Amino acid sequence: MTMAPDRTKLLEVRNLRVEFPMRRGTLVAVDDVSFDIAPGEVLGVVGESGAGKSMTGAAIIGLLEPPGRIAGGEIRLDGRRIDGLPYEKMRRVRGREIGAIFQDPLTSLNPLYTVGRQLVETILTHLDMSEKAARERALQLLQDVGIPAAERRIDHYPHQFSGGMRQRVVIALALSANPRLIVADEPTTALDVSIQAQIITLIKRLCREHGTAVMLVTHDMGVIAETADRVAVMYAGRIAEIGPVRDVISRARHPYTEGLMGSIPKIGEAGGRLAQIDGAMPRLSAIPKGCAFNPRCAKAFERCRAERPEPLTVDATDVACWLYDPAPAVRR
Amino acid sequence: MIAFVIRRLLQAVLVMMAVGFVAFSLFAYVGDPVAIMLGQDFTAESRRLLVHELGLDQPFFVQYVHFLLNAAQGNFGISYRLARPVSELLLERLPATLELSLCAAALALAVGVPLGVYTGLNRESWLSRLLLTVSLVGVSLPTFLIGILLILVFSVVLGWLPSFGRGTTVALGWWTTGFLTESGLRALILPSVTLAMFQMTLIMRLVRSEMLEVLRTDYIKFARARGLSDRAINFGHALKNTLVPVITITGLQLGGIIAFAIVTETVFQWPGMGFLFIQSVSAADIPVMAAYLVLIAFFFVMINLVVDLLYYGVDPRLRIDRAAAAGHGH
Ligand SMILES: Nc1ncnc2c1ncn2[C@@H]1O[C@H](COP(=O)(O)OP(=O)(O)O)[C@@H](O)[C@H]1O
Ligand code: SF4
Ligand SMILES: [Mg+2]
């Protein structure tokens, strides 16, 4: 089956499946996940810890750690398949076309090299320019991400920067070859609450300026509300609901999303984490039959315990829940 | 930086004084030098004179300070066994020991580091597994056994290499070197390999485990996410981060090599300080033993100092923090 290149889609993820072969059977960390990201679009990805957000991101940048592997589906960038590319080809995609921002800025930078050196090395890896031009670009990037006295700071080592400043450096590194997509995996979780909003605002502004699309993984519904164009809600390795951020927040369709939206405080406040829903997400080794959410779902009915719901389109939202199945015969 | 060096130098002096004390105690508690020097025929008067001459009637502390002052000037007295100044004896044998130790250290590094990197990067390959198994043997076989096995194979059976001595040496001032003649170089091979074996396997295992550790870190993952080449990641980022522990251990090992040379020198009858030491022990030649002890400790201390400075060069965190701390007057 071939897909015609679709210019409105920068990234296309189709039926992605990520597995961990274990001694006792195979764990499916990401199961049949499909979504698109348009050029310049910010897709928020939310869900409890262990929902498969990071594994989805790692699969996209081709850095799943063994024994984790892509066991099915396809990932396309600009219509070109990038899952299963040979290592050397994928390396040229990473950093050049897809940048990454990790969770912990304190450990993301090599302690033995100055930030300038790490920037220049990344720039020279992907862009054809002289060392001098690369250094100028590095300096410009540091200024763009709001490092004060960048001319001096460029020759400093990572440990001489605060956590927030280091995350700015990480952002500069992710943007250094002007990629078209950034995968940001909880970029503010490790930071002090007081600077989380600044970092999110910075990512948002820079990506808007450069037309960079973002896959923004976060626990923080407040961040999603203020930053994302669309949002995907993940639960137990699958997408429960995906749609425009306004719709998902104001008219959550999936009972799990409804629970999450219980309260959305302002960005950066301590209470910005996902609201608590009774019970816990199942372990990967013990996902219930039917809808994975059914033991915790107040609206569950018979069919939910027997059949797994596939995504159904309701307005601009795709929702994987039997409540929206138009086939009335099966409804209770 | 200067404050750091001065602090380390002071520590070094303290360590040397402590070692000097131990070495000095040898005189007081091991054997009776006066009896040894007087031989069979002596009168109470000649004994009293000798005791006075040697300063042995002085209080213990005065004797100790005396010993330290002399030692600091390189004066360790006269060998009981050979009746020559100890410093002369040691100086004669110093080049043999240092050349052997440096060859062994260079060999251990030149083989150990690349093998460690290889086995760290190719964890699953059969060659890595083989190397690890063999290295286990290298760590557990005693040095003298390795030496004897090498002699058996390469000297006795194959007849390729000499089994003892330094070969022909060339004098450069007071330094005698085996590096300039073919027989000198050939004579170096077996002892160097023997002495290097233990350190080589240790370094290989150390580099391997450090590489594995570093390759798991976030900054290596982030370096991959930035699309850097494997070469830049493995050698530019990972290897450099393994260097701090490797420098430390290797530095300490170098001291160990010089000390361990005792066994190798004895097996190969290598005319170095270690061989001299063993001969002195059997003859209860205390001045030589004491001087050897002090000299080895001196090497250890100096090597430690150099290691600390290297450290300083590799790790910017140390540099800046110390500088900042010094700047604030702590
Ligand atoms: N190395 C691993 N071995 C086995 N299972 C793993 C491994 N790494 C992650 N997982 C599983 O994959 C699932 C998804 O993890 P992840 O994508 O990190 O979740 P999150 O949504 O919190 O980012 C988790 O339930 C976790 O148990
Ligand atoms: S499918 Fe059933 S159990 Fe699952 S969320 Fe919808 S109503 Fe609840
Ligand atoms: Mg995660």
Side-chain angles (χ1 to χ4, degrees):
Chain A
M1 140 179 117
T2 53
M3 283 188 281
D6 185 342
R7 288 286 154 234
T8 64
K9 289 170 185 169
L10 174 65
L11 181 79
E12 295 163 86
V13 177
R14 288 282 165 274
N15 311 106
L16 178 66
R17 181 181 175 91
V18 173
E19 291 182 351
F20 286 88
M22 305 298 267
R23 232 168 274 141
R24 270 172 288 154
T26 300
L27 292 183
V28 184
V30 176
D31 187 10
D32 205 10
V33 160
S34 302
F35 62 89
D36 304 321
I37 300 182
E41 182 182 50
V42 178
L43 175 74
V45 180
V46 284
E48 280 163 278
S49 187
K53 308 181 295 292
S54 296
M55 293 305 132
T56 307
I60 292 169
I61 57 176
L63 285 181
L64 276 173
E65 284 191 43
R69 61 185 196 96
I70 296 180
E74 44 188 63
I75 302 171
R76 286 172 187 269
L77 189 73
D78 257 347
R80 175 169 79 119
R81 265 188 90 156
I82 57 167
D83 56 304
L85 276 187
Y87 183 87
E88 194 51 29
K89 286 220 168 99
M90 191 59 202
R91 178 174 87 67
R92 306 227 149 254
V93 172
R94 280 196 290 271
R96 180 70 188 92
E97 297 182 62
I98 307 179
I101 300 173
F102 289 172
Q103 182 169 339
D104 191 351
L106 297 185
T107 55
S108 290
L109 300 170
N110 187 334
L112 300 188
Y113 293 128
T114 64
V115 300
R117 204 205 122 139
Q118 300 187 51
L119 277 161
V120 166
E121 139 182 83
T122 314
I123 294 166
L124 290 178
T125 299
H126 298 295
L127 305 179
D128 187 22
M129 54 170 69
S130 70
E131 187 122 358
K132 189 161 168 290
R135 190 176 156 93
E136 271 159 28
R137 184 177 169 86
L139 186 61
Q140 184 63 48
L141 281 159
L142 288 177
Q143 284 162 349
D144 288 349
V145 296
I147 303 276
E151 307 77 20
R152 198 164 48 81
R153 299 292 263 165
I154 190 169
D155 292 317
H156 283 189
Y157 290 92
H159 71 271
Q160 293 169 283
F161 292 81
S162 69
M165 284 296 150
R166 274 192 240 187
Q167 196 62 312
R168 287 173 192 264
V169 173
V170 168
I171 293 168
L173 278 164
L175 288 171
S176 57
N178 218 351
R180 282 173 309 150
L181 173 68
I182 298 265
V183 176
D185 192 351
E186 307 203 24
T188 60
T189 306
L191 295 177
D192 202 80
V193 180
S194 59
I195 45 179
Q196 291 183 352
Q198 292 171 21
I199 295 294
I200 290 294
T201 311
L202 175 71
I203 294 176
K204 191 174 155 182
R205 176 174 65 76
L206 288 173
C207 291
R208 189 141 299 166
E209 281 170 18
H210 293 84
T212 313
V214 186
M215 174 176 158
L216 178 65
V217 174
T218 175
H219 287 321
D220 194 326
M221 279 313 300
V223 166
I224 296 286
E226 301 207 7
T227 315
D229 299 308
R230 285 191 310 136
V231 55
V233 179
M234 288 192 71
Y235 187 81
R238 297 170 69 90
I239 292 187
E241 177 164 7
I242 179 170
V245 75
R246 304 242 156 272
D247 293 1
V248 173
I249 285 178
S250 59
R251 283 194 296 150
R253 303 284 194 335
H254 197 282
Y256 177 61
T257 319
E258 262 180 86
L260 289 184
M261 300 304 155
S263 65
I264 304 172
K266 284 287 283 183
I267 180 171
E269 279 173 26
R273 293 302 161 89
L274 298 183
Q276 283 296 289
I277 303 171
D278 286 345
M281 198 171 65
R283 294 153 53 95
L284 292 184
S285 50
I287 293 186
K289 198 163 156 358
C291 173
F293 188 56
N294 84 64
R296 298 167 78 185
C297 181
K299 297 178 180 164
F301 54 103
E302 238 166 282
R303 188 177 184 186
C304 305
R305 284 179 276 273
E307 275 180 85
R308 203 167 68 176
E310 298 303 325
L312 298 158
T313 304
V314 184
D315 301 335
T317 303
D318 284 347
V319 54
C321 170
W322 288 131
L323 293 175
Y324 301 92
D325 189 3
V330 211
R331 235 11 228 277
R332 176 173 53 164
Chain B
M1 175 73 187
I2 292 180
F4 171 72
V5 174
I6 290 175
R7 194 164 51 231
R8 300 294 300 159
L9 278 175
L10 282 178
Q11 280 170 8
V13 169
L14 276 179
V15 170
M16 286 313 296
M17 282 173 69
V19 172
F21 183 78
V22 173
F24 173 69
S25 307
L26 283 178
F27 288 94
Y29 298 111
V30 184
D32 179 359
V34 180
I36 296 170
M37 287 178 88
L38 283 173
Q40 304 286 320
D41 288 328
F42 64 92
T43 61
E45 177 61 14
S46 64
R47 182 181 169 95
R48 201 190 58 73
L49 267 177
L50 187 60
V51 165
H52 183 70
E53 223 170 82
L54 293 175
L56 296 179
D57 51 354
Q58 303 272 330
F60 182 84
F61 183 71
V62 174
Q63 287 187 45
Y64 170 55
V65 172
H66 208 69
F67 172 82
L68 280 186
L69 288 178
N70 276 330
Q73 294 163 38
N75 180 2
F76 290 93
I78 310 285
S79 159
Y80 302 157
R81 185 172 65 98
L82 300 168
R84 288 178 53 201
V86 172
S87 46
E88 231 177 83
L89 289 173
L90 284 175
L91 215 57
E92 270 172 27
R93 286 159 175 80
L94 182 70
T97 296
L98 285 188
E99 285 189 354
L100 173 61
S101 302
L102 287 179
C103 276
L107 191 63
L109 272 177
V111 178
V113 172
L115 288 188
V117 170
Y118 177 82
T119 51
L121 292 178
N122 304 281
R123 208 145 45 114
E124 305 296 331
S125 85
W126 63 268
L127 185 56
S128 294
R129 290 164 200 267
L130 181 73
L131 284 169
L132 281 179
T133 315
V134 171
S135 79
L136 211 58
V137 178
V139 173
S140 43
L141 270 190
T143 305
F144 74 90
L145 200 60
I146 295 177
I148 289 169
L149 284 176
L150 287 177
I151 289 176
L152 190 69
V153 175
F154 292 97
S155 303
V156 179
V157 176
L158 295 172
W160 290 352
L161 295 167
S163 65
F164 65 90
R166 275 185 95 187
T168 315
T169 56
V170 176
L172 303 171
W174 62 272
W175 187 279
T176 57
T177 180
F179 286 152
L180 297 178
T181 64
E182 199 202 318
S183 81
L185 289 173
R186 282 158 51 90
L188 260 170
I189 296 176
L190 289 186
S192 302
V193 171
T194 306
L195 189 52
M197 198 64 85
F198 182 78
Q199 267 70 26
M200 190 191 299
T201 51
L202 207 72
I203 289 173
M204 169 184 141
R205 292 179 151 263
L206 177 76
V207 170
R208 181 189 113 93
S209 65
E210 286 297 326
M211 277 298 271
L212 290 178
E213 186 86 7
V214 169
L215 286 174
R216 272 198 295 269
T217 60
D218 279 357
Y219 57 82
I220 294 297
K221 285 181 206 156
F222 189 55
R224 285 196 208 293
R226 287 190 272 144
L228 302 188
S229 69
D230 269 5
R231 221 184 46 157
I233 292 172
N234 293 339
F235 297 99
H237 287 261
L239 184 59
K240 182 152 186 199
N241 271 283
T242 66
L243 280 186
V244 170
V246 170
I247 286 175
T248 317
I249 303 285
T250 316
L252 296 179
Q253 289 303 314
L254 183 59
I257 284 180
I258 295 175
F260 270 120
I262 292 180
V263 178
T264 309
E265 287 183 4
T266 309
V267 172
F268 289 92
Q269 314 235 328
W270 188 261
M273 297 188 303
F275 194 31
L276 174 70
F277 177 74
I278 288 291
Q279 291 169 327
S280 305
V281 169
S282 29
D285 194 347
I286 310 280
V288 175
M289 288 161 66
Y292 178 79
L293 205 64
V294 170
L295 199 62
I296 291 293
F298 179 72
F299 283 135
F300 263 96
V301 167
M302 290 317 287
I303 288 165
N304 257 331
L305 201 63
V306 172
V307 166
D308 275 352
L309 293 178
L310 280 179
Y311 226 77
Y312 214 76
V314 171
D315 195 334
R317 282 165 295 188
L318 221 54
R319 218 149 55 215
I320 313 277
D321 294 348
R322 299 253 195 201
H328 293 297
H330 292 301

